[in-house]
Every structure is written in structure tokens, then in C-alpha cells.
Amino acid sequence: MMLSRVAERVYWFARYLERVESMARLIQVYTGLLFDLPRDTGISWHNLVIASGSHGEYNRRFSVQDEKRVVKFLLEDLSNPSSLASSLRMVRENIRTTRDIVPQESWELVNEFQIFVSENIAQGLNRRYRHEFLEEIIKTCQQINGLIADTMRRDAAWHFLNMGRSLERADMTIRILEAGASMSSDFIENDTNHVLDAVWGSVLGTLNATMPFRRTMKVAIKGDDAARFLLEDTLFPRAVTCGLLRMQDSAKQLPSSEKVMSCLNDFVKTVTSGSDYSDVSAGFPAYLTELEKNSIVIHKAIQDTWFQPT
């Protein structure tokens, strides 16, 4: 039987590691998007803050929304709990206290990872070197996840790790869609509909979903089709429904999972019932807000079921 505090740390280790990779992907693809769009589109760096879910904290502290301030806030600001540096610190702290649960090499990789980021994070603030720095972060996250996937026994610890990673992925996918909808609204207001395809191409690119989307949907990239794929596809790992189904598989293997399974079933029904997707810049954001609330409900159910002190 697994101690609740150990289960919680494994769960949060997976969530924070996924958050590190997602943040790196988000900043990398968003930076690339700026080179694909005309300079007069007026794209706002604040959309990155929206996607990270930390816009409330940012707006409270800052009035400037330029590239330097936003990237610094999302990469190295330790007072921002959603920043890459803060998340990586929590990755190390959670794995430090569960080293007998995860593969030993993963602890060594996380230590080397934190040293690399602390010594090179200035590269991420400089657009000239940002791509290489963020690419190394993404590769290292994938290396750690690959090591764990290949060598970790499929016991309770694995299932808590899988639920943490899957929920974080689903949550970040929803937030990235929210940022895409926000950008779409900005461009429509400025009569720049011709750049919307590039925006939704970047949304798919952030999640490495471009080729899976093309193979599955077999249509040109449009906002409604991209949103439907990233929410409802059951086979693409970063799609929301796919992540929820993976969580269901893990929850079934754990004791006292009735409440969590019920919440997951409700969430899957909400997603698969879908939005009409007719206007991804208008009614769609409200739908995404409802999905974010469902994500919070799932986390609370997991916490109440398994992480309370014994």
C-alpha cells in the first residue's frame, strides 16, 4: 500500500515536468509565429500569459506586456509559480523525496537538468538563442519521460504519475486553445483574417500535432477543425479526450476510485458533446472556461480521494 504523501509527490512530479515542457513548447512556437506574421498584425505577447494560466498574477504586478517582460515572467521569475524555473524547482523537490519510487537515473537527469537551466536561462531571454535553449529543455523532458516509461513498473506509483501527466497535458491543451481563440479575436477585429491559418497552425505546432491533425482530419488547417481535433481525438496523446481516457485506465487500477471515475466520466461527456465550433473567437472561449473548471474538479477529486493525510 502506498503512502498518500508519496502518491501525491509522484503525481505532482509528473504534473510539474509536463508543465516545464509545455511552457518551453509554448514560448518556442509563439516566438516562431512572430516570424510568420506581418509586423502590423499587432500580436500581443500577453496571449502567452493567458495560455500559462497566470494572467491574473501578471496583470496584478505588471502593466507592460512586451516580449522581454512576458518571457522573463514565464521563464525565470521564481515568484511566478507557473514559470519554467519554478516548475523545474518543484520537479526536483518532488523527485528528491520519491527517489526510491522512480528510476534512479531520472533523479540524476533532473539534477543535471536544473543545473543546465540555471546556467543558461539567459539564452531563453535572448531571441537569437531562444530556440536552441528551449529545444534542449523539450528534449530533456522527453528523455526523462522516456526513461520512466521504459523502466518503471506499472504499479500504483505509475498510475499516479500517469494521471498527473495526463491531467496537466489536458489542462495545457485547453489553455493553448484559449490563447489561440484570443489571438483569433484580435485578428478578426483588425480585419486580418488571412493570418488565422498561421495562428491555428502555431496552436497545433505547440503540441506537435500538425502531422497527426493532417493525417486524421484530412483538411486544411482551420480553427474549428483544429479545436475539434485537440479536444475530441481519442488517439492523439495531447488531445484532451485521449488524456482523460488514459486517466480512466489508471484510476481503474487504484482503490476507492469511484468519485474520480465519476468526475472523469462527466468530463469526457462534456468534451465529446462538443462545442458547435462555429466561431472559435466568440462563444468558444466560454466553453473552454467550463472545461478548465472541469479540470479543477478532477484534481480536487484526486486530492480528496488519495492525498489526504492518513
Side-chain angles (χ1 to χ4, degrees):
M1 189 67 180
M2 203 174 179
L3 292 175
S4 64
R5 65 176 181 272
V6 176
E8 184 173 15
R9 287 168 183 168
V10 171
Y11 168 87
W12 277 111
F13 160 72
R15 287 205 69 165
Y16 280 117
L17 184 62
E18 189 66 30
R19 196 170 297 178
V20 169
E21 182 178 349
S22 295
M23 186 63 70
R25 287 178 178 276
L26 188 63
I27 297 173
Q28 183 187 59
V29 175
Y30 198 87
T31 302
L33 176 63
L34 295 182
F35 291 100
D36 297 331
L37 297 179
R39 290 191 175 185
D40 61 354
T41 53
I43 185 171
S44 172
W45 281 91
H46 192 253
N47 288 307
L48 272 178
V49 182
I50 294 174
S52 73
S54 52
H55 48 285
E57 173 69 10
Y58 185 92
N59 295 341
R60 184 183 65 82
R61 292 170 53 190
F62 308 111
S63 57
V64 178
Q65 299 179 357
D66 62 4
E67 176 182 1
K68 181 178 180 180
R69 170 51 62 190
V70 167
V71 174
K72 185 179 179 67
F73 177 74
L74 295 177
L75 271 185
E76 70 169 7
D77 192 337
L78 291 175
S79 63
N80 170 21
S82 296
S83 74
L84 188 147
S86 293
S87 297
L88 184 54
R89 175 179 286 187
M90 294 307 298
V91 168
R92 185 184 184 279
E93 179 59 23
N94 281 285
I95 197 175
R96 182 185 66 80
T97 53
T98 54
R99 281 179 286 175
D100 57 336
I101 301 295
V102 297
Q104 180 181 354
E105 294 88 344
S106 60
W107 163 245
E108 297 169 359
L109 280 173
V110 167
N111 273 318
E112 294 171 1
F113 191 15
Q114 187 168 49
I115 292 171
F116 167 78
V117 170
S118 63
E119 291 180 348
N120 296 278
I121 201 162
Q123 295 182 15
L125 304 178
N126 187 326
R127 193 188 291 188
R128 181 177 180 182
Y129 304 106
R130 188 178 300 158
H131 176 80
E132 291 78 7
F133 172 71
L134 295 175
E135 189 68 24
E136 187 63 29
I137 288 175
I138 293 169
K139 288 179 180 178
T140 304
C141 289
Q142 292 175 332
Q143 184 180 9
I144 295 169
N145 276 323
L147 172 66
I148 291 173
D150 283 349
T151 61
M152 192 168 176
R153 188 169 180 268
R154 269 40 175 181
D155 55 9
W158 165 261
H159 292 300
F160 282 116
L161 186 146
N162 180 56
M163 286 198 294
R165 179 178 58 227
S166 298
L167 184 58
E168 186 67 31
R169 280 188 178 181
D171 188 61
M172 183 55 74
T173 296
I174 293 167
R175 295 185 186 281
I176 289 170
L177 284 168
E178 188 176 21
S182 177
M183 284 188 283
S184 297
S185 179
D186 291 343
F187 292 137
I188 289 172
E189 288 178 3
N190 290 285
D191 195 26
T192 51
N193 293 4
H194 61 286
V195 302
L196 290 178
D197 292 351
V199 169
W200 288 101
S202 77
V203 168
L204 291 168
T206 301
L207 300 166
N208 268 19
T210 304
M211 289 308 297
F213 170 85
R214 292 188 184 279
R215 290 177 57 200
T216 304
M217 305 298 284
K218 296 180 172 60
V219 295
I221 295 175
K222 299 291 182 183
D224 55 346
D225 292 318
R228 181 178 291 107
F229 176 76
L230 292 175
L231 286 173
E232 299 183 23
D233 194 79
T234 60
L235 300 178
F236 179 61
R238 295 185 181 276
V240 173
T241 299
C242 183
L244 295 176
L245 294 177
R246 287 186 170 193
M247 292 183 71
Q248 285 182 331
D249 291 340
S250 285
K252 290 175 184 176
Q253 305 303 315
L254 296 169
S256 307
S257 62
E258 294 81 8
K259 180 179 179 180
V260 174
M261 285 296 298
S262 176
C263 292
L264 284 168
N265 289 335
D266 290 343
F267 198 174
V268 170
K269 289 177 183 177
T270 301
V271 176
T272 54
S273 64
S275 165
D276 61 9
Y277 302 109
S278 59
D279 188 350
V280 292
S281 65
F284 189 55
Y287 173 66
L288 293 176
T289 299
E290 285 301 309
L291 296 186
E292 288 177 7
K293 292 178 181 177
N294 276 267
S295 179
I296 294 171
V297 168
I298 296 295
H299 168 69
K300 189 175 187 307
I302 292 172
Q303 187 175 50
D304 292 345
T305 300
W306 291 302
F307 300 158
Q308 294 301 307
T310 56

